[in-house]
Amino acid sequence: MAIIAISRQVAALGDEISASLAQKTGYRFINRQEIEKRIVDLGFPEDKLKKYDEKKPGFFASLVKDRDEYLNYLQTAVLEAAEEGNCILIGRGAYFILQGLPNLISLRFIASDDIRLERLMKEFNWNEKQALQRITESDNNRKGFHKSFFNSEINDPSHYLMVMNTGAFDVESASNAISSLIDSIMTPEKEAQGKKKIQELLKCQHLVNKLVFDYKLNIEFLRAVISDNSLILQGVADSTVLVERAIRIAASELPEYTVTSSISVVQDYKNRL
């Protein structure tokens, strides 16, 4: 059960290579449309999706609770897809959400601006100005999305197992190379460890969703982390009463863990935003 997380520049053949790789490996290719559908099916309003989906939120959009709700739904959608195993996820910061998984293969596809311009002009019958505008807009949006939601630099090669320049590969040769990479590094031990880790991450995400959406606890940046037999809550709250309630609920929902808190309590936190 390998999980492939793809990051790509526009016109770097990310979708085409992912589709070809899915055919060769038998993995499910979970494209943009399916991720969007999963997010909406989980409960995020479809009419608000365009404000956040793979772009940096505008000033006002970044201040409202919809922003944090989108992130929780996105992380849930990615983790639930990963739990199903043998899948290829493209975009939406999947490489960051799944970082640390022993069975994760994170890849980034890039190409020179000249090659990307040529591809866009040919595909859409655009002139050079139109193609350049699309490249600039897409690169800025994806960079802003990762910085805003994950405080991550999308162009940092250290995030990925491999960065592939698709100016030097066609779709077939690229998917062949990645298929060979999967076969060479994936082991039953990594798959078993990855499956266990994904289950822990999902437990944490489902707990966060319950605290935020069901119990309406107003804790900013809420996260849950499992370490051995302990579960640690993280975030920012404006009262110790709120933190204590979160601990009690978490202990009730996941009694197999010892629940502790590293939630920061900041009085009048909301007024400081």
Side-chain angles (χ1 to χ4, degrees):
M1 184 184 73
I3 310 299
I4 316 298
I6 303 293
S7 170
R8 79 289 189 216
Q9 292 180 320
V10 67
L13 303 181
D15 288 270
E16 294 87 344
I17 294 171
S18 297
S20 175
L21 181 63
Q23 287 186 332
K24 293 181 186 301
T25 59
Y27 284 23
R28 294 170 301 112
F29 175 29
I30 300 175
N31 60 19
R32 170 181 177 172
Q33 290 76 21
E34 183 169 346
I35 286 290
E36 289 176 349
K37 183 178 184 302
R38 285 173 180 249
I39 292 170
V40 171
D41 287 346
L42 284 166
F44 192 76
E46 187 173 5
D47 61 332
K48 296 179 180 178
L49 197 62
K50 290 184 179 180
K51 293 181 181 179
Y52 304 97
D53 204 36
E54 209 159 50
K55 66 174 65 175
K56 180 180 179 180
F59 176 74
F60 291 106
S62 67
L63 297 180
V64 299
K65 67 175 183 178
D66 289 345
R67 182 252 185 218
D68 293 333
E69 289 183 4
Y70 169 80
L71 180 57
N72 280 327
Y73 285 127
L74 169 64
Q75 291 177 154
T76 305
V78 169
L79 288 168
E80 288 183 349
E83 186 186 34
E84 297 166 11
N86 292 350
C87 65
I88 301 166
L89 292 150
I90 191 163
R92 308 306 180 279
Y95 75 91
F96 190 87
I97 295 170
L98 301 172
Q99 65 178 334
L101 287 182
N103 60 333
L104 175 66
I105 296 178
S106 54
L107 307 169
R108 179 158 172 80
F109 300 136
I110 63 170
S112 69
D113 286 353
D114 287 345
I115 288 175
R116 294 197 290 158
L117 281 170
E118 181 181 346
R119 286 172 178 167
L120 288 172
M121 291 167 65
K122 181 178 180 180
E123 180 178 358
F124 297 103
N125 196 28
W126 285 345
N127 60 38
E128 184 173 336
K129 181 179 179 181
Q130 290 172 309
L132 182 59
Q133 182 178 352
R134 172 62 177 141
I135 287 174
T136 301
E137 178 183 38
S138 176
D139 287 355
N140 287 341
N141 275 339
R142 290 175 183 178
K143 182 177 180 180
F145 174 86
H146 287 78
K147 192 67 177 177
S148 176
F149 284 102
F150 306 112
N151 194 27
S152 172
E153 174 52 60
I154 191 172
N155 293 316
D156 183 350
S158 66
H159 291 313
Y160 312 102
L161 179 64
M162 182 172 68
V163 178
M164 177 177 285
N165 186 336
T166 64
F169 292 85
D170 60 19
V171 171
E172 184 72 11
S173 59
S175 60
N176 282 337
I178 297 166
S179 181
S180 296
L181 175 67
I182 296 169
D183 291 340
S184 66
I185 67 174
M186 197 51 52
T187 65
E189 291 76 18
K190 288 181 179 179
E191 292 177 0
Q193 292 167 3
K195 183 176 181 179
K196 179 182 177 182
K197 182 65 175 177
I198 291 171
Q199 290 172 345
E200 289 179 350
L201 290 172
L202 257 180
K203 281 184 182 180
C204 289
Q205 187 61 55
H206 287 156
L207 174 64
V208 167
N209 291 351
K210 186 171 286 289
L211 292 172
V212 172
F213 301 134
D214 295 348
Y215 289 94
K216 310 295 183 184
L217 298 191
N218 200 8
I219 301 175
E220 300 293 324
F221 315 117
L222 182 60
R223 293 186 66 228
V225 179
I226 290 174
S227 177
D228 296 325
N229 295 320
S230 297
L231 187 144
I232 305 164
L233 297 176
Q234 303 172 346
V236 182
D238 61 5
S239 75
T240 56
V241 173
L242 194 58
V243 174
E244 289 168 359
R245 188 177 179 214
I247 293 173
R248 288 196 302 271
I249 294 170
S252 175
E253 293 290 334
L254 295 173
E256 66 269 32
Y257 297 101
T258 300
V259 180
T260 59
S261 170
S262 62
I263 296 173
S264 300
V265 177
V266 180
Q267 297 296 329
D268 298 324
Y269 173 71
K270 290 296 180 185
N271 295 330
R272 299 186 184 195
L273 290 178

